[in-house]
Amino acid sequence: MTKLSLIIAPDPIFSQCAEPVTLVDDAIRHLISKMFEVLYREEGVGLGANMVGLLKRIIVIDLQEGGLKTPLAMINPEIISSSDEMQAREEASLSFPGIHAKVSRPQSIEVRYLDQQGAPQSLHAEGWLATVIQHERDYLDGVVYLDYLSKMKRTMLMKKMLKQLKDS
């Protein structure tokens, strides 16, 4: 497999739904390892597979809190419950460089997924981790964080991003 590259918006892949992974094998594990390479190279905290041009239901996350690497890969992640309590945090995306916006999401979630061995897992996530999981999982459904904003705010931010990309 060739080196994965980050897809920069606007790109039609960001409005497409990813397909479930039916078999967790060495090819999927290799793909996950390549996704982590992109994540670390781009100095991000999370990636949905769409962001590297793949329509597979895979996300990789590493908050790197305290400078420690704690990689988490989720295959076919499914949010099975979320709190009524909401939190608003600044969100950004490697695929939408130079812009960010405050987005309100559930403060805690319960997520089910397969790990890299194909074993079912569940995780209760709160705070920043909950936000990152929801943000990355949205990519798999063809949703980006800008979709939570008003049309006017979304248009303004996209124009800003495109101007910065053109000027650089």
Side-chain angles (χ1 to χ4, degrees):
M1 172 184 284
T2 57
K3 186 169 120 176
L4 293 180
S5 297
L6 192 62
I7 306 286
I8 301 297
D11 189 286
I13 199 161
F14 296 120
S15 60
Q16 296 176 34
C17 284
E19 295 292 319
V21 173
T22 54
L23 175 65
V24 180
D25 58 9
D26 286 343
I28 292 295
R29 285 186 281 277
H30 181 71
L31 187 61
I32 288 169
S33 125
K34 292 293 181 191
M35 286 176 68
F36 274 116
E37 283 178 18
V38 173
L39 180 71
Y40 296 132
R41 182 174 67 238
E42 300 292 337
E43 300 178 358
V45 294
L47 276 182
N50 304 49
M51 296 172 68
V52 290
L54 303 166
L55 288 172
K56 295 189 181 302
R57 295 190 78 78
I58 301 171
I59 62 175
V60 297
I61 294 170
D62 193 340
L63 302 183
Q64 300 177 58
E65 292 175 309
L68 297 175
K69 285 190 176 175
T70 53
L72 172 63
M74 295 182 166
I75 301 164
N76 300 333
E78 179 187 356
I79 296 171
I80 54 173
S81 68
S82 54
S83 66
D84 292 333
E85 185 183 343
M86 302 294 279
Q87 63 181 352
R89 292 181 177 261
E90 283 292 322
E91 294 188 25
S93 172
L94 295 171
S95 291
F96 292 80
I99 59 173
H100 55 87
K102 192 165 272 206
V103 176
S104 188
R105 297 181 185 270
Q107 198 275 329
S108 66
I109 58 169
E110 191 78 29
V111 61
R112 264 199 311 240
Y113 62 97
L114 298 176
D115 66 17
Q116 292 187 64
Q117 280 60 57
Q121 302 290 334
S122 71
L123 174 72
H124 176 80
E126 296 184 358
W128 180 229
L129 179 59
T131 294
V132 174
I133 291 170
Q134 292 171 83
H135 175 106
E136 302 310 336
R137 197 197 158 285
D138 275 352
Y139 273 105
L140 307 182
D141 290 331
V143 175
V144 299
Y145 79 101
L146 296 175
D147 294 335
Y148 291 92
L149 308 175
S150 70
K151 183 167 177 31
M152 187 175 87
K153 176 93 172 164
R154 191 169 51 242
T155 301
M156 183 189 78
L157 286 170
M158 283 302 293
K159 280 183 180 169
K160 177 183 176 184
M161 183 194 89
L162 293 170
K163 182 181 182 334
Q164 287 175 351
L165 287 173
K166 193 180 82 159
D167 293 347
S168 61

